[in-house]
Amino acid sequence: MAGFFSLLRRLYLTAYNWSLFVGWIQVLYFVLKTLKESGHENVYNAAEKPLLFAQTAAVLEIFHGLVGLVRSPVSATLPQICSRLYLTWGILWSFPEAQSHVLVSSLLISWSITEIIRYSFFGFKEAFGLAPSWLLWLRYSTFLLLYPTGISSEVGLIYIALPFIKVSENYCIRMPNKWNFSFDYFYAAIVALGIYVPGSPHMYTYMLAQRKKALSKSKRE
């Protein structure tokens, strides 16, 4: 019975990783195609559908960690998934005024290259038990450049969206109401920006430690 569930786990994770790989391949394709043909102003509209699919499906990775399907700690997965969802749905999808900015292109290129490498790496590991050494190196090295470009784009887009958030009052709850509770999405966005200050260096340091561990292990093998 344990062997059967192990097989089911591998089949599910293989399908999951390669499905998300295809999703991010589509994002990168539409971004590059649109940049070449019509400019950065149209990048979001071209890549929106695969972006929403691929990034929203990543919520399952929190579940994977919670139930023990993967060894990745939820404490590392949760903030990354939440920040991505916030940018995808809470900023870009919610405020079309930010969709035409050039930072959308740098954001989606950084995200898609990172995820294409990551999902193919885990897809190989689940399907065949190992991944090529060159893919291992890419998995634990490309973030050195792509994490700073991605984070910078995320922070920049939240900042750019602030005036539109304030004017629109989307997702705000004003008093009086039956819950006796108020919420201002504008100030929540400012808090989110503040979280990036300690959060980004912490995550980068964590990934550096993971890189050292993974590459050292590969050399011993």
Side-chain angles (χ1 to χ4, degrees):
M1 185 63 73
F4 174 72
F5 282 115
S6 177
L7 176 62
L8 280 182
R9 172 196 167 278
R10 287 188 65 180
L11 288 173
Y12 165 72
L13 290 176
T14 298
Y16 172 81
N17 283 299
W18 286 114
S19 296
L20 272 291
F21 168 81
V22 172
W24 285 108
I25 282 282
Q26 290 181 312
V27 173
L28 184 60
Y29 168 76
F30 286 125
V31 169
L32 297 179
K33 181 174 183 288
T34 306
L35 283 173
K36 180 181 178 181
E37 294 179 354
S38 58
H40 68 266
E41 297 86 356
N42 302 305
V43 159
Y44 177 83
N45 287 334
E48 181 182 45
K49 288 183 179 179
L51 170 66
L52 296 180
F53 160 74
Q55 196 53 71
T56 305
V59 172
L60 290 171
E61 292 175 34
I62 300 171
F63 170 76
H64 296 165
L66 287 172
V67 300
L69 284 178
V70 298
R71 289 182 294 177
S72 301
V74 176
S75 59
T77 304
L78 185 63
Q80 187 171 16
I81 298 297
C82 289
S83 66
R84 293 281 196 90
L85 288 173
Y86 174 61
L87 258 294
T88 301
W89 289 101
I91 297 296
L92 292 177
W93 184 81
S94 298
F95 301 96
E97 298 89 345
Q99 294 173 4
S100 60
H101 199 277
V102 68
L103 286 178
V104 174
S105 300
S106 60
L107 177 78
L108 297 189
I109 290 172
S110 299
W111 281 5
S112 58
I113 293 175
T114 297
E115 301 297 43
I116 287 167
I117 293 169
R118 185 168 72 92
Y119 285 117
S120 60
F121 174 79
F122 287 117
F124 272 110
K125 287 197 72 173
E126 294 298 339
F128 306 110
L130 52 84
S133 57
W134 58 267
L135 190 55
L136 173 71
W137 186 88
L138 287 175
R139 164 78 178 96
Y140 289 102
S141 299
T142 51
F143 81 87
L144 294 169
L145 172 63
L146 295 176
Y147 186 78
T149 58
I151 285 293
S152 299
S153 301
E154 291 178 31
V155 170
L157 285 167
I158 296 172
Y159 179 78
I160 288 161
L162 285 177
F164 309 115
I165 295 173
K166 189 170 187 177
V167 170
S168 71
E169 292 205 346
N170 287 354
Y171 312 126
C172 292
I173 300 174
R174 301 301 185 195
M175 294 184 63
N177 57 65
K178 63 181 180 180
W179 301 287
N180 198 33
F181 169 79
S182 66
F183 175 77
D184 195 309
Y185 197 65
F186 174 77
Y187 291 110
I190 292 176
V191 170
L193 280 176
I195 292 173
Y196 275 89
V197 177
S200 301
H202 172 75
M203 184 61 69
Y204 197 71
T205 302
Y206 170 79
M207 291 189 293
L208 285 172
Q210 291 296 103
R211 179 180 190 269
K212 182 178 180 180
K213 180 180 176 182
L215 297 185
S216 297
K217 182 180 178 182
S218 69
K219 287 179 181 179
R220 291 195 301 270
E221 296 174 349

